[in-house]
Amino acid sequence: MSIEAEALLQEAKESIEAAQNYRSELQQRLHGLSQARKQVRGSSSQAREGLKRHFSELQTAVTRLLTERLSVLLSEVDVIEQDSVRPLDDCQKLIEHGVNTADELLREGEVAIRCGLGEKEDLLGCFTKKALQIHLDSLPEVPVLVDVPCVSAQLDDSLLYAVRDRVSRHGSVSSHPPVQIEELQERPGSVLVRWCKVDDEFAVQDYRLQYRRSVSGQYEDTYIGPEQEFLVLHLDPHTDHLFRVCARGEGRTEWSPWSVPQTGYTTLAPHEWCPGSEGYILSSRRNIAMRSDSSPSKAGVLYSNAPTYFCGQTLTFKISATGQMDKRDSIGVCVGCEGEAESLQRDQAVCISTNGAVFVNGKEMTNQLPSITLGSAVTFDMEVVNLLPISNNNNLSDGGNFKLRVTIGSGNREVVFDWLLDQGVDCLFFGCSLAHPGWKVLVF
């Protein structure tokens, strides 16, 4: 084959490969468009159903409230009517009794007048006596109309105007929520969720973060507050979780629409304390260690269950209870476990004491952090800084001189230093030694 033919063949192969890549990219974009259309259709359908359900419930509630109010007002009318008619009925009975008495007296008078002369005197005398007893000049008092209740209902259109005004402003429809999840970072047994505000005109007072397993379950609140990131703990590794966030505007009670749910997971096993260590009691998840008084004189170091801390991560110790301080106390990380050690203030370890002193390979640094108190959070961040090539294939386990750049933070301060090791490591243990009971340490 000639050089020109080979060149043409090579060009054809490159064109075919470019066409395949082009088609693959277009197919991916088609899939993205399909997902976008699905989101628009699905969210619109959910919005319609939500609006119909909400206004139907609102209509039912308003109808019930109006019916209840009407019933109360009608009851008030009934009470007024009954209380007002009762004395009128009593007066009517008295007058009717008087009319009947008068009729009877008239009949007796007519009889007395028409009777014969022999009986007339006696009958007239009885009639006159009876007429005097009846008190024909005494009449019952009948109330004038101005003194009798005239029931009326006071109604105006102010409620209708107010309702019309509130209804006209009730609810809203938006094409984009004011906040969106920006980043999901896996952490040991947890996921760090970061979000941002995408609507510059929306003044945020609080954010609300929820999560759930992607396959089942209901969303549950995990954070409400002003921060724009939160570490969601106690997540099972290799399990998808859905995260969503919304916001509440300043001076408002209702929450904004939810952000588009994002799927996140962690492949890293959660940090755990080693069970069975003398002098310490662990929580069911083994992420909280409490210094007990079962071994007040000597408890040694409580290590992690495995070397689960990797460089590039942030290791956090949260102090949820405190005890008496001791200069031998230590919280930090180390290369390996030394069962006989009483403290992490030793070689191959970096730590902070409860009084804020920082130790590197057993030597106290000049720089010091604030003392550890209730609610303190101590963080360790490390990154590898090689001094010399470890080996030709850059395998950390082959040994060599290299250092870790360590940042320890506590309160509003931090110290940064280089930790020189004789042998390369890609993962580290963490641990604590607390001389007195009462301390409780959460690790994540």
Side-chain angles (χ1 to χ4, degrees), residues 83-151:
D83 293 343
S84 302
V85 168
R86 187 179 299 112
L88 298 180
D89 290 341
D90 294 340
C91 185
Q92 180 177 347
K93 290 178 182 179
L94 181 62
I95 293 175
E96 288 176 349
H97 176 71
V99 170
N100 292 334
T101 302
D103 289 342
E104 183 179 353
L105 186 64
L106 286 173
R107 286 193 299 271
E108 292 180 0
E110 291 176 355
V111 171
I113 293 175
R114 293 173 185 161
C115 67
L117 295 175
E119 299 176 350
K120 179 172 290 193
E121 185 176 353
D122 293 337
L123 291 175
L124 288 174
C126 292
F127 171 77
T128 303
K129 184 178 180 180
K130 187 175 183 179
L132 292 174
Q133 293 176 347
I134 295 176
H135 302 292
L136 295 176
D137 58 344
S138 176
L139 295 173
E141 183 178 358
V142 176
V144 296
L145 293 182
V146 294
D147 294 332
V148 177
C150 181
V151 183

Side-chain angles (χ1 to χ4, degrees), residues 35 62 102 116 145 169 173 190 199 216 239 268-269 276 286 298 324 353 357 397 415 424 438:
Q35 293 295 105
V62 170
L145 293 182
R169 294 184 288 109
V173 177
S190 59
D199 185 353
S216 61
T239 301
L268 306 174
R286 299 179 182 175
K298 180 180 179 182
Q324 181 181 342
S353 182
S397 61
V415 295

